[in-house]
Each structure stands twice: as structure tokens, then as C-alpha cells.
């Protein structure tokens, strides 16, 4: 059984396979490799591909295209997009996008994608004379966890086994790199129907490393179509759904022609296919209409170069991917941006599917293409955990290559804590509240040990598909919680950019606030521990030592509530002073505790003998999670 590679595109999808050591796209009955990612829901079942695309104007209310834009996203985030495509969102479902569909139950983008995947799978069955093995499916580099999960769900619905999700630009690099055995730094510029990605890749002896990625999930050939349609029909927004769709389709045809000829036309029809008017358009007119859209790719290219620590001069070759890179203005723009002619030997429509098929073949373990190909992609935003004081402990910094894992050990902050709430965040700001929350989960059933005793090891793993797995384990008791990270919805590239910009703008204040919070948390910990020790063992101190300690403790108690970052030094100084003045007392208690522990009694007995658990501090009931939701980094 051959493995297959699938490019699940916004506009078109393809399936490819390696046969006789060469990757090729599988063709339909009309010898076409591209299957329009368009689905119509008829009473007799879904109609997928060209027929659905061609007849979309007549069946607008039950035909869906470009739905990849909505994969894994919440309605609140993409209402504007839905309006743009004139889809009616099902308001009764706030958690995920669902479109109303004439004569059919509402449909989700995952269901639409699964119909496209089913059609590709059927094509593979026909061409390969049997079921394909597993599939490598490509996704835009900027797809976050929810969007990747949604893609996997669609594959599962279509009965496909997903071997791996692969970033589209990386797939293109595989196609080029393996064909040419080149080495150097490549920029992959991928402008498709609905998304734009740029990736900077380092290619060396057949090993790819993605140094950085940037992009815009709302930029592509669809925008060119709309710009051209609006150029010829300025009142496009006022037209009926059917009319607007027909004009957009005519603009798309005209756009394609203008890649080869200097003049073409947009033929307006009344929605039933009858031509009503025709507008002549020159390539110059078209370029004027789309220039602002093409220029929007510049910012992402600059960001990707900066993230990779490179300038345009360092790039050895630029690879073009996606149907929209056939537009001459786009090619000129890319050439000017990187100071060199782009590399476009392979068919830009097929290069991603070809790369995916090569990767799928390599995963069989018996590939003739390469046997030690290592593939590294990067994480677009840092991943971390909220710790005491609401600050973020970063586990995996942005632009880390994947797969990537990281672990840290934490402890509890309050005596008798039986549960810990771990809050996962994504972003680059210092405070958890300024980042995006990915989810919370609880490690329950801890035996209620004194603060500081439990050792909770938290592991982060971003797998080869870019999906985050988190697990937490208390090392003494072996109590474990594996976390299902269920992000409520994905981030758009714009949001990622806003988050990155704000993390840069706020870097200085963030760090100051973080340092103040850390100082306050540390002071709180010292004061809490000291109060507990004094309640239990006041008798061990002389009156003089007691007065000396409490005098500094009172000053620290007063100082540590400050919210002014300028007070951080005073808090730290007082904490150190308190540390120094109470050191002999701490030493004496430790020695006494050691003697008790060495006598062989269990930790909880020791704890209660030391008065640690009946000192009036809050002690959650068994099995209940403590309210304190932050852990304390060790
Ligand atoms: P993709 O998502 O890579 O399949 O790209 C599809 C996009 O490429 C659509 O917006 C198409 O209209 C566009 N496209 C395909 N062929 C051409 C062409 N010859 N000239 C301009 N745009 C094209």
C-alpha cells in the first residue's frame, strides 16, 4: 500500500504519490490534478470539485468554497470572513463555525474538508487499484493547534490515516531540495487562494531546518479576485449573492488570463449564466487594483527574515509556491524584495503535494528518495505556564524547531494543597493575562503535603504535527495528569502579529512588572514560611532574636504590597535582610526536623508533628483542587 501526500488547499486540493522513485500528482478523469476545494450539498449526497465550482452561482446557498479559512476557528473570530463569502453562520453554535446549508443540516468546515479528502482518497483508490496506506497532509505554517486538530478530524472523517501534518512551505522545500540536492538558505514564498506563508529554510545535505515562518491567513488569490471584481463593478457589495459570486468567478477567469496576456475581460452575468455586460481589463489595470494586496506580503517577509537573523542578501534562493505566484506582478515583487529572480522550476500548484508525497514515501521506511531526512519546523509563538503572581514561565520559546519538548519541576505554595491548576498560555508577554490562554487543567489527588514538598514535573511536547501535549506528574507519589489541550479556537496571523508587536512594544515595562511580581512572590513566601515557623517554634527563639526578626518582617510586610516597580529593590533588600536575620533560627529548625525524619516516620506525620498542617492555613478537602492556581517555580 503506497502512502499518499495531500495538499488540502483553500482553493484547490491535490493528491500525489511516489511511483517508481518519482513523485507525481494523481489525475482525475479529465486529466486534471487539481480538485477545486468546493462542496455542494445535494439531496442525493455531496458534489465535490469542478462541478460544484462551476455551478456555484446557481446553488449559492448550499455550495461552500474557501472554507479552510474557517477551520478550527470560533464564530466570534470570523464573522467578517463569513460575510465576505456570503455564508450564513449558524448562530445557535457559538463554539465552532457552522454554516446554514439550504435543504441540508448545517455544515462545518471540517465536514466540507472531509468531503474534499474523501474525493481525493477515492481518486487514489482508483489510480492505485486499492486503498492508500497513510497520508501526509499539508497545512499552512501558521496553522495553530486547533486548526491542525481540525485538519486531522477532517482526515479521520474521510477514513484516512494521518501519518503527519506537514507545513506547506516545508513540503515545497522537500520537493526542491530532494530534486536538486542543493544547500543554502531558501525563502519559500507561498501565495495560494486564501493564505500567504513565507518561510526561511536552511537546507544542508538533505536536512531542512525551518528557521522562521510568518504569513497572513487572510491574503491570497481570492483577494485579487475581489479587488478586480470591485474595480470593474464598484457596487459589488450591493449585488445579490448569486450575482456577486458570478462576478467574482468572472474576475478569477480574467485574472488567470492576465498572467499570460496583456488584455482580457470580465464578463458579468445575471447569476443564471446569461451574460449581461463585459468590461475590458488590461494587465496594468489589474496590477493597479492588486498592488496594495501584493505589498502586504512585504511585512511578513521582513518579519521572517528578522526572526531568522538574516537579511535578504543572505538568501541563496527563493522558491515560489501557490497558483497566485503566476501573477507577473507577484513575481516582480518577490524578485525586488529578495534581490534575485525566484526559483520556479516546479509547477507552483503541484509542488506542495509533490513534497508531501515524498515525505509520505520516506515515512514508509523503504523509500528510495532519502532515508535520513530530518525535518524541522518552528513554533510561531512561545508556549508556557502561568506561575505564582500571574507571570509566565516559558517552556518553549517562539521559533523553536519542532518536534520539541521541555520540562520543569514546580512545587506547591500553600500547605495541604491537594490539587494544582495549571494554566497553559501562548504568547510572548511576561504576564499570563496578556497572552492567549490555551487551557487549564488540574492535577488532583495530591496527598496534601506541606508547601514546597511536592515535586511536580511538567512536560511540554510539541509533536511533529505542531500539536501541544502537556503532562504533569508529582514525583514522590507518582500521581499524574495528562493534559488534553483543547484550545477554544485558533489565532489568526493578524492576531499573532499584534501579540508579537505588543510583546516588543511592552518588553521593557513587562520585564519590570515581572521582576516586581517575582520579588513580591518571593517576599510572600518568606513571610508565610516565617509566620508558620514562629507559630510552631517561637519557643526556640530568645526574646531579642524574636524582636530582631519581627522588626524586619514587619517592614517587608509593609513594603511587599507595593505595585510600583521602583520598589522592587527595597523589597529584595528587605527579603535578604530577613533571610540573614532569621538564618540561625531556620538552621536550628532544620536540624531538629532532620532528627525527627531520621527516626523513620512518614512525611505527613512529621508534618503534623511540626505543626505544618494545623496552623490555621487554608487546607482544601481531599480530592478538591486548591484555589491557588499558580505553581511556584523552583
Ligand atoms: P492554490 O491555493 O495554490 O491552489 O492557488 C489558487 C489560486 O491561484 C487561486 O486564487 C487561483 O485563482 C490562482 N491562480 C491559478 N492559476 C493562476 C494564474 N494562471 N494566474 C493567476 N492566478 C492563478
Amino acid at each position: 500500500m503506497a502512502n499518499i501526500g495531500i495538499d488540502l488547499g483553500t482553493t484547490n486540493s491535490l493528491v500525489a504519490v511516489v511511483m517508481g522513485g518519482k513523485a507525481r500528482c494523481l489525475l482525475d478523469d479529465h486529466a486534471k490534478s487539481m480538485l477545486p476545494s468546493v462542496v455542494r450539498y445535494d439531496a442525493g449526497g455531496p458534489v465535490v470539485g469542478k462541478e460544484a465550482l462551476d455551478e456555484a452561482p446557481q446553488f449559492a446557498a448550499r455550495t461552500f468554497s474557501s472554507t479552510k479559512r474557517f477551520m478550527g476557528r470560533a464564530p466570534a473570530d470570523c464573522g467578517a470572513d463569513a460575510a465576505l463569502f456570503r455564508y450564513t453562520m449558524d448562530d445557535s453554535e457559538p463554539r465552532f463555525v457552522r454554516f446554514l446549508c439550504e435543504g441540508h443540516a448545517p455544515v462545518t468546515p471540517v465536514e466540507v474538508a472531509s468531503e474534499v479528502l474523501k474525493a481525493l482518497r477515492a481518486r487514489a483508490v482508483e489510480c492505485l487499484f486499492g486503498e492508500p496506506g497513510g497520508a501526509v497532509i499539508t497545512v499552512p505554517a501558521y496553522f495553530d493547534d486547533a486548526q491542525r486538530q481540525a485538519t486531522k478530524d477532517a482526515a479521520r472523517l474521510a477514513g484516512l490515516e494521518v501519518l503527519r501534518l506537514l507545513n506547506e512551505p516545508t513540503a515545497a522545500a522537500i520537493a526542491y531540495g530532494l530534486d536538486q540536492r542543493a544547500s543554502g538558505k531558501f525563502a519559500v514564498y507561498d501565495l495560494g487562494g486564501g493564505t500567504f506563508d513565507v518561510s526561511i529554510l536552511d537546507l544542508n545535505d538533505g536536512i531542512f531546518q525551518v528557521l522562521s515562518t510568518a504569513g497572513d491567513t487572510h491574503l491570497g488569490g481570492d483577494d485579487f479576485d475581489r479587488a478586480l471584481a470591485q474595480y470593474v463593478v464598484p457596487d459589488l457589495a450591493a449585488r445579490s449573492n448569486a450575482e456577486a459570486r458570478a462576478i467574482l468567478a468572472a474576475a478569477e477567469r480574467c485574472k488567470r488570463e492576465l498572467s499570460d496576456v496583456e488584455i482580457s475581460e470580465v464578463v458579468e452575468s445575471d447569476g443564471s449564466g446569461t451574460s449581461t455586460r463585459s468590461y475590458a481589463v488590461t494587465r496594468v489595470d489589474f496590477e493597479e487594483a492588486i498592488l496594495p494586496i501584493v505589498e502586504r506580503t512585504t511585512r511578513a517577509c521582513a518579519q521572517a527574515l528578522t526572526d531568522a537573523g538574516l537579511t535578504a542578501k543572505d538568501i541563496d534562493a527563493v522558491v515560489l509556491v501557490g497558483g497566485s505566484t503566476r501573477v507577473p506582478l507577484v513575481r516582480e515583487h518577490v524578485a525586488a524584495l529578495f534581490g534575485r529572480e525566484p526559483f520556479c522550476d516546479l509547477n507552483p500548484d503541484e509542488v506542495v503535494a509533490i513534497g508531501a508525497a515524498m515525505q509520505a514515501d520516506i515515512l514508509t521506511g523503504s523509500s528510495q528518495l532519502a532515508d535520513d531526512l530530518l525535518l524541522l519546523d518552528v513554533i510561531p509563538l512561545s508556549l508556557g505556564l502561568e506561575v505564582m503572581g500571574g507571570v509566565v514561565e516559558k517552556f518553549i520559546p517562539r521559533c523553536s524547531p519542532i518536534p520539541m519538548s521541555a520540562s520543569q519541576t514546580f512545587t506547591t505554595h500553600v500547605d495541604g494543597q491537594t490539587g494544582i491548576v495549571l494554566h497553559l498560555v501562548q504568547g510572548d508577554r511576561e504576564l499570563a493575562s496578556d497572552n492567549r490562554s490555551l487551557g487549564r487543567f488540574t492535577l488532583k489527588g495530591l496527598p496534601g503535603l506541606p508547601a514546597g514538598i511536592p515535586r511536580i514535573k511538567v512536560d511540554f511536547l510539541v509533536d511533529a504535527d505542531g500539536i501541544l501535549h502537556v503532562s504533569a506528574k508529582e514525583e514522590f507519589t507518582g500521581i499524574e495528569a495528562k493534559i488534553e489541550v483543547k484550545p477554544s479556537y485558533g489565532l489568526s496571523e493578524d492576531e499573532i502579529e499584534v501579540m508579537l508587536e505588543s510583546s516588543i512594544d511592552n518588553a521593557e515595562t513587562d520585564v519590570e512588572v515581572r521582576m516586581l511580581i517575582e520579588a513580591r512572590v518571593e517576599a510572600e513566601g518568606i513571610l508565610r514560611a516565617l509566620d508558620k515557623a514562629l507559630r510552631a517554634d517561637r519557643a526556640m527563639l530568645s526574646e531579642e532574636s524574636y524582636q530582631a526578626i519581627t522588626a524586619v518582617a514587619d517592614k517587608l510586610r509593609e513594603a511587599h504590597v507595593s505595585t510600583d516597580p521602583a520598589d522592587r529593590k527595597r523589597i529584595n533588600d528587605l527579603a535578604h535582610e530577613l533571610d540573614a536575620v532569621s538564618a540561625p533560627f531556620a538552621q536550628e529548625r532544620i536540624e531538629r526536623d532532620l532528627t525527627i525524619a531520621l527516626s523513620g516516620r512518614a512525611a505527613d506525620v512529621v508534618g503534623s508533628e511540626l505543626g505544618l498542617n494545623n496552623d490555621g492555613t487554608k487546607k482544601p478537602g481531599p480530592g478538591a483542587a486548591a484555589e491557588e492556581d499558580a505553581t511556584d517555580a523552583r
Side-chain angles (χ1 to χ4, degrees):
M1 285 196 303
N3 287 341
I4 54 174
I6 291 181
D7 172 4
L8 183 60
T10 307
T11 319
N12 292 296
S13 297
L14 301 92
V15 55
V17 70
V18 173
M19 285 188 285
K22 193 167 167 30
R24 63 193 79 215
C25 285
L26 300 178
L27 306 180
D28 66 10
D29 294 343
H30 304 283
K32 293 262 187 289
S33 60
M34 293 206 282
L35 174 77
S37 308
V38 183
V39 178
R40 181 174 82 229
Y41 288 85
D42 280 357
V47 177
V48 183
K50 187 162 185 321
E51 187 184 337
L53 173 69
D54 290 346
E55 295 171 353
Q58 291 106 285
F59 305 107
R62 54 190 158 102
T63 303
F64 299 92
S65 59
S66 285
T67 54
K68 184 171 166 182
R69 286 175 181 263
F70 304 93
M71 288 282 273
R73 302 181 66 202
D77 285 343
C78 47
D81 271 1
L84 214 57
F85 285 89
R86 296 169 182 256
Y87 296 142
T88 312
M89 208 95 91
D90 177 4
D91 291 334
S92 67
E93 180 47 83
R95 290 166 306 161
F96 50 84
V97 173
R98 206 156 62 172
F99 302 118
L100 296 185
C101 177
E102 186 186 71
H104 192 275
V107 294
T108 64
V110 169
E111 288 166 317
V112 174
S114 85
E115 294 303 336
V116 174
L117 290 170
K118 275 184 211 167
L120 294 176
R121 178 178 154 211
R123 186 187 293 183
V125 168
E126 209 168 296
C127 297
L128 303 171
F129 307 126
E131 282 292 338
V136 168
I137 301 180
T138 58
V139 288
Y142 258 94
F143 256 25
D144 71 1
D145 203 63
Q147 292 165 304
R148 285 167 198 264
Q149 289 286 9
T151 306
K152 279 191 153 181
D153 291 346
R156 218 168 294 128
L157 271 180
L160 284 167
E161 186 206 343
V162 181
L163 299 170
R164 178 173 288 191
L165 299 181
L166 186 65
N167 284 347
E168 288 159 7
T170 308
I174 291 174
Y176 273 103
L178 289 178
D179 276 0
Q180 310 200 355
R181 306 273 168 192
S183 67
K185 307 255 187 308
F186 285 1
V188 181
Y189 182 103
D190 179 351
L191 190 60
T195 55
F196 168 62
D197 286 309
V198 57
S199 296
I200 308 296
L201 310 176
D202 190 10
L203 191 57
N204 237 317
D205 292 334
I207 298 177
F208 298 93
Q209 187 180 6
V210 182
L211 300 178
S212 63
T213 67
D216 189 332
T217 49
H218 288 78
L219 189 63
D222 293 345
D223 300 297
F224 292 172
D225 303 345
R226 222 172 353 262
L228 179 57
Q230 253 153 8
Y231 180 83
V232 291
V233 183
D235 68 339
L236 186 71
R239 301 301 182 94
S240 72
N241 268 2
E243 270 179 4
R245 281 183 189 238
I247 295 167
L248 284 169
E252 202 263 347
R253 276 191 294 275
C254 172
K255 169 188 79 173
R256 283 172 186 256
E257 282 171 14
L258 288 173
S259 292
D260 300 316
V261 298
E262 291 291 336
I263 184 157
S264 179
E265 58 181 359
V266 174
V267 182
E268 190 184 341
S269 67
D270 61 5
S272 66
T274 314
S275 306
T276 54
R277 232 182 123 175
S278 138
Y279 306 84
V281 184
T282 64
R283 189 186 285 174
V284 174
D285 296 334
F286 172 60
E287 290 180 345
E288 189 187 311
I290 64 165
L291 185 64
I293 303 166
V294 176
E295 282 178 342
R296 275 169 56 200
T297 64
T298 308
R299 210 162 51 139
C301 291
Q303 171 81 53
L305 282 169
T306 308
D307 284 349
L310 301 174
T311 66
K313 285 197 187 67
D314 301 316
I315 300 297
D316 298 304
V318 183
V319 174
L320 293 184
V321 179
S324 298
T325 62
R326 287 206 174 89
V327 172
L329 182 70
V330 171
R331 293 192 172 189
E332 285 162 27
H333 186 77
V334 176
L337 211 59
F338 291 97
R340 63 177 59 248
E341 283 305 314
F343 204 44
C344 43
D345 300 354
L346 300 176
N347 179 338
D349 295 317
E350 297 188 347
V351 58
V352 168
I354 294 287
M358 288 175 157
Q359 176 69 23
D361 190 58
I362 288 161
L363 291 174
T364 59
S366 56
S367 172
Q368 300 167 19
L369 299 173
D371 46 20
D372 55 355
L373 184 102
L374 194 71
L375 207 53
L376 300 170
D377 283 336
V378 297
I379 292 159
L381 284 171
S382 302
L383 298 167
L385 201 63
E386 177 175 353
V387 296
M388 273 309 286
V391 298
V392 177
E393 188 66 33
K394 269 184 203 164
F395 273 64
I396 301 182
R398 71 183 291 260
C399 285
S400 301
I402 60 169
M404 163 67 84
S405 64
S407 58
Q408 286 192 41
T409 303
F410 297 91
T411 188
T412 51
H413 209 71
V414 176
D415 287 338
Q417 229 172 298
T418 56
I420 289 185
V421 182
L422 296 123
H423 182 201
L424 306 177
V425 293
Q426 180 180 35
D428 288 85
R429 298 287 300 272
E430 297 285 343
L431 299 184
S433 55
D434 292 331
N435 289 305
R436 178 188 180 223
S437 172
L438 283 179
R440 290 168 202 266
F441 64 93
T442 311
L443 182 65
K444 285 184 190 157
L446 300 179
L449 293 170
I453 299 287
R455 287 180 61 81
I456 296 142
K457 186 159 172 278
V458 181
D459 289 309
F460 272 52
L461 167 71
V462 179
D463 68 17
D465 297 331
I467 289 172
L468 174 65
H469 306 261
V470 183
S471 62
K473 182 176 182 179
E474 202 290 304
E475 296 203 308
F476 291 124
T477 54
I479 290 168
E480 210 171 347
K482 291 220 185 304
I483 296 97
E484 262 179 56
V485 185
K486 287 185 189 149
S488 43
Y489 48 83
L491 285 180
S492 72
E493 194 274 336
D494 284 349
E495 287 164 303
I496 290 179
E497 206 156 285
V498 167
M499 286 170 77
L500 284 180
E501 273 169 12
S502 81
S503 74
I504 293 163
D505 292 348
N506 294 292
E508 219 169 291
T509 31
D510 269 8
V511 169
E512 278 175 18
V513 171
R514 183 194 176 107
M515 282 160 66
L516 173 72
I517 290 173
E518 282 173 351
R520 289 180 54 179
V521 168
E522 196 186 332
E524 245 164 53
I526 295 171
L527 288 169
R528 194 181 301 124
L530 181 72
D531 287 348
K532 188 169 69 184
L534 286 175
R535 273 196 299 275
D537 293 320
R538 158 86 174 81
M540 290 168 83
L541 284 172
S542 68
E543 184 56 27
E544 195 187 343
S545 304
Y546 177 77
Q547 291 302 340
I549 291 172
T550 49
V552 186
D554 288 346
K555 277 194 227 162
L556 179 60
R557 214 180 304 278
E558 196 193 316
H560 96 288
V561 292
S562 167
T563 51
D564 182 355
D567 288 334
R568 176 176 55 88
K569 186 173 179 318
R570 179 170 152 71
I571 296 172
N572 277 341
D573 289 350
L574 282 168
H576 289 143
E577 197 183 327
L578 184 59
D579 224 16
V581 74
S582 60
F585 177 45
Q587 177 76 24
E588 212 175 311
R589 293 185 78 238
I590 287 166
E591 277 161 18
R592 193 268 325 264
D593 294 354
L594 266 179
T595 318
I596 300 174
L598 286 175
S599 72
R601 276 162 291 168
D604 54 346
V605 179
V606 175
S608 70
E609 276 189 16
L610 297 179
L612 298 180
N613 274 339
N614 51 21
D615 58 5
T617 51
K618 190 174 164 219
K619 184 180 176 188
E627 287 305 312
E628 290 74 14
D629 67 350
T631 48
D632 183 14
R634 267 203 167 161

